């Protein structure tokens, strides 16, 4: 098997005449914890769908675990961006996790009546995310952070080698977000993790490499955001937009904004760009 979990070579993908990804190359090593950053509409979710084999590139190749994308079976766990559950939907936590065992074209659990063996696997997955005590609760009655843990358990129930998460912290509070980041660090000891976020200011602790996507792709093999990656997402300082320099230290994230006025020569930019509350 290849030493890489994911191999993307010279991939192009368009919707109609609109290019979404251009000349993308990416090699994800086994055991990596990769953050995929970039603006909304930049192609991050499209990249995940290509890896999953849900869509196919116009040109280029995508391999996952040494096989063409879409042929890795249960070895990939996936948490989609939108995981809302209607309050009227009668499903328990353990039943929701069991649904991760359904495979298109391969049968699976029958409706909401999983077997004892499938329930045991679901309970083991819930144990991994510290949600086993909630197994018989109604899924719709959980908090946003608790539901995200359940959906991660659903992605883990088939014992994947690769876990991919699309905006997993978009609908949870800060405490749940921090707990989720701690969970992902723990899971990364057992599997490769790829996590998408549109917020380039949010880089979870434990991340080992960073990819920035905005039609093109820049891969940095270290947990930091570089000038090249920032410019790929938000444009160069000479282009329209607000150039932002990001610094995080201690317990409180700091954000320093660069000059808006080309005539301004102060180090932090014009006075109106530096908010006391953010420093």
């Amino acid at each position: 098997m290849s030493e890489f979990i994911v191999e993307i070579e010279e991939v192009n993908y368009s919707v109609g005449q609109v290019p979404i990804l251009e000349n993308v190359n990416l090699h994800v090593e086994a055991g990596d914890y990769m953050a995929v950053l970039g603006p909304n509409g930049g192609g991050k979710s499209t990249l995940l769908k290509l890896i999953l084999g849900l869509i196919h590139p116009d040109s280029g190749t995508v391999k996952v675990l040494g096989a063409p994308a879409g042929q890795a079976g249960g070895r990939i766990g996936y948490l989609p961006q939108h995981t809302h559950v209607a309050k009227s939907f009668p499903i328990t936590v353990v039943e929701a996790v069991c649904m991760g065992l359904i495979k298109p074209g391969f049968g699976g659990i029958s409706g909401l009546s999983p077997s004892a063996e499938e329930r045991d696997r679901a309970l083991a997955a819930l144990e991994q995310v510290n949600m086993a005590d909630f197994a018989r609760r109604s899924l719709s009655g959980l908090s946003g952070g608790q539901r995200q843990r359940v959906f991660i358990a659903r992605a883990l129930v088939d014992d994947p080698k690769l876990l991919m998460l699309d905006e997993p912290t978009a609908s949870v509070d800060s405490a749940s977000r921090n707990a989720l980041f701690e969970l992902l660090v723990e899971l990364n000891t057992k599997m490769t993790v790829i996590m998408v976020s549109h917020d380039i200011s949010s880089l979870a602790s434990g991340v080992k490499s960073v990819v920035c996507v905005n039609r093109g792709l820049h891969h940095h093999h270290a947990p930091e955001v570089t000038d090249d990656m920032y410019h790929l997402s938000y444009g160069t300082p000479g282009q329209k937009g607000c150039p932002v320099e990001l610094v995080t230290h201690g317990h409180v994230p700091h954000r320093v904004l660069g000059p808006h006025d080309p005539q301004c020569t102060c180090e932090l930019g014009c006075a109106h760009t530096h908010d006391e509350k953010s420093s």
Side-chain angles (χ1 to χ4, degrees):
M1 180 179 291
S2 168
E3 62 179 326
F4 296 109
I5 292 288
V6 177
E7 300 170 85
I8 298 176
E9 302 279 357
E10 298 297 326
V11 160
N12 292 277
Y13 181 81
S14 300
V15 175
Q17 300 299 315
V18 180
I20 306 299
L21 294 173
E22 291 184 327
N23 302 319
V24 165
N25 293 277
L26 178 64
H27 294 80
V28 182
E29 295 182 356
D32 199 359
Y33 178 2
M34 176 182 291
V36 180
L37 307 179
N40 288 330
K44 304 183 305 297
S45 295
T46 297
L47 182 68
L48 292 194
K49 291 176 182 177
L50 286 165
I51 294 172
L52 288 165
L54 298 176
I55 57 177
H56 303 285
D58 300 329
S59 61
T61 60
V62 181
K63 289 186 177 181
V64 183
L65 295 164
Q71 297 184 17
R75 293 182 293 171
I76 300 178
Y78 175 52
L79 177 66
Q81 183 174 356
H82 302 292
T83 54
H84 300 297
V85 178
K87 291 185 177 181
S88 60
F89 189 49
I91 187 171
T92 65
V93 166
V94 71
E95 289 167 343
V97 175
C98 283
M99 294 184 75
L101 295 169
I102 298 175
K103 298 294 180 295
F106 294 96
I109 66 173
S110 176
L112 299 182
S113 301
S115 67
E117 186 268 340
E118 289 165 340
R119 282 181 175 272
D120 287 344
R121 292 174 66 180
L123 288 171
L126 285 168
E127 190 71 41
Q128 289 188 70
V129 300
N130 299 315
M131 287 294 292
D133 291 342
F134 294 80
R136 292 177 175 80
R137 298 271 192 96
S138 169
L139 180 63
S140 62
L142 301 182
S143 69
Q146 290 170 335
R147 281 199 299 271
Q148 283 297 73
R149 284 178 173 264
V150 172
F151 290 127
I152 291 175
R154 183 180 65 181
L156 296 174
V157 70
D158 217 14
D159 193 24
K161 301 296 183 186
L162 170 63
L163 176 63
M164 299 199 300
L165 309 98
D166 195 353
E167 304 277 8
T169 62
S171 59
V172 300
D173 58 30
S174 59
S176 297
R177 181 181 65 232
N178 294 338
L180 179 61
F181 287 158
E182 291 177 1
L183 171 62
L184 293 179
V185 170
E186 181 181 346
L187 292 174
N188 182 229
T189 63
K190 308 170 186 176
M191 64 194 69
T192 304
V193 177
I194 299 177
M195 180 182 67
V196 162
S197 175
H198 72 276
D199 185 3
I200 199 168
S201 68
S202 177
L203 193 59
S205 61
V207 165
K208 298 174 180 176
S209 68
V210 180
V211 162
C212 191
V213 181
N214 189 10
R215 188 182 297 183
L217 183 149
H218 182 92
H219 185 192
H220 193 66
H221 298 270
E224 61 187 40
V225 178
T226 66
D227 286 343
D228 287 343
M229 296 166 71
Y230 181 81
H231 295 157
L232 179 62
S233 284
Y234 298 103
T236 61
Q239 295 175 332
K240 184 178 180 180
C242 176
V244 176
E245 180 128 2
L246 301 168
V247 180
T248 302
H249 61 86
H251 298 290
V252 180
H254 285 54
R255 183 174 297 183
V256 180
L257 305 186
H260 288 260
D261 185 349
Q263 303 302 317
C264 176
T265 58
C266 66
E267 291 184 3
L268 294 180
C270 302
H272 70 275
T273 69
H274 187 71
D275 186 347
E276 184 177 355
K277 293 181 180 180
S278 66
S279 61

